[in-house]
Amino acid sequence: MDLLPFAAAHASLVAEWPTHADEVVRWCGRREFPVTARTVAAWQEDDDVRAHVLVEDGTVLGYGEVWLDDEEDEAELARIIVAPGARGRGIGRILVRELLGRALAAGFRDVFLRVRPDNETALACYRGAGFVTVDAGLAASWNTAQPVDYVWLRNPAALSSH
């Protein structure tokens, strides 16, 4: 499998992957269903977003982003989704590990992700990829400005440096 840069041609494919409105909310926090290709393409307009697709034998199996924050010297993995036909095969864990590798290669040691507390599949995936839940106090402070109380997870390598 290869993690490749996202291209505009991928937007319509990725936009089709959420199968219902609740999945869209868990994936990207939007209340838009179906998600449009324009929405997915627009995410790429942010200079701090590095979007990627996971490809196997020419088939796109996953999508995810690395949000770079040079000012805070940290990265966040975001908007991670696996194609419906590829779910349940460990593709998500591979995708998360590859995205983490990109964040680390960019020089960020503090790498986070957040997930809605009702998204048990994503939580299992992220923990299976080696992420651990942050301290409750830290999570509470980060959730202050958020629309929901996310579960925040961190790359374990960051724990030794903070």
Side-chain angles (χ1 to χ4, degrees):
M1 282 187 231
D2 298 305
L3 189 67
L4 304 175
F6 174 87
H10 298 127
S12 60
L13 177 65
V14 172
E16 293 175 359
W17 289 349
T19 57
H20 51 79
D22 289 342
E23 186 177 4
V24 172
V25 171
R26 286 194 306 269
W27 171 42
C28 64
R30 298 184 67 92
R31 302 248 178 239
E32 166 190 352
F33 183 79
V35 175
T36 66
R38 176 67 195 123
T39 294
V40 176
W43 294 336
Q44 318 315 307
E45 295 170 7
D46 185 331
D47 290 338
D48 296 330
V49 172
R50 302 292 183 273
H52 301 277
V53 290
L54 188 67
V55 178
E56 181 179 49
D57 298 328
T59 301
V60 179
L61 301 177
Y63 169 88
E65 298 171 355
V66 180
W67 295 354
L68 308 176
D69 187 339
D70 291 321
E71 188 175 305
E72 295 290 329
D73 193 27
E74 65 188 28
E76 182 175 348
L77 307 187
R79 297 187 187 124
I80 297 164
I81 190 167
V82 172
R87 296 176 184 169
R89 297 179 19 209
I91 302 297
R93 280 190 305 279
I94 293 167
L95 176 57
V96 169
R97 288 179 183 139
E98 292 289 328
L99 292 168
L100 172 62
R102 295 296 166 99
L104 295 173
F108 297 95
R109 294 293 168 253
D110 224 353
V111 182
F112 300 91
L113 51 78
R114 63 183 124 163
V115 62
R116 289 178 169 267
D118 65 340
N119 194 343
E120 295 173 15
T121 302
L123 281 166
C125 171
Y126 303 150
R127 289 181 175 132
F131 279 74
V132 297
T133 306
V134 303
D135 170 82
L138 184 57
S141 71
W142 288 347
N143 278 326
T144 301
Q146 300 299 327
V148 299
D149 283 343
Y150 290 105
V151 176
W152 291 85
L153 299 114
R154 172 184 255 166
N155 171 33
L159 297 176
S160 62
S161 65
H162 285 83

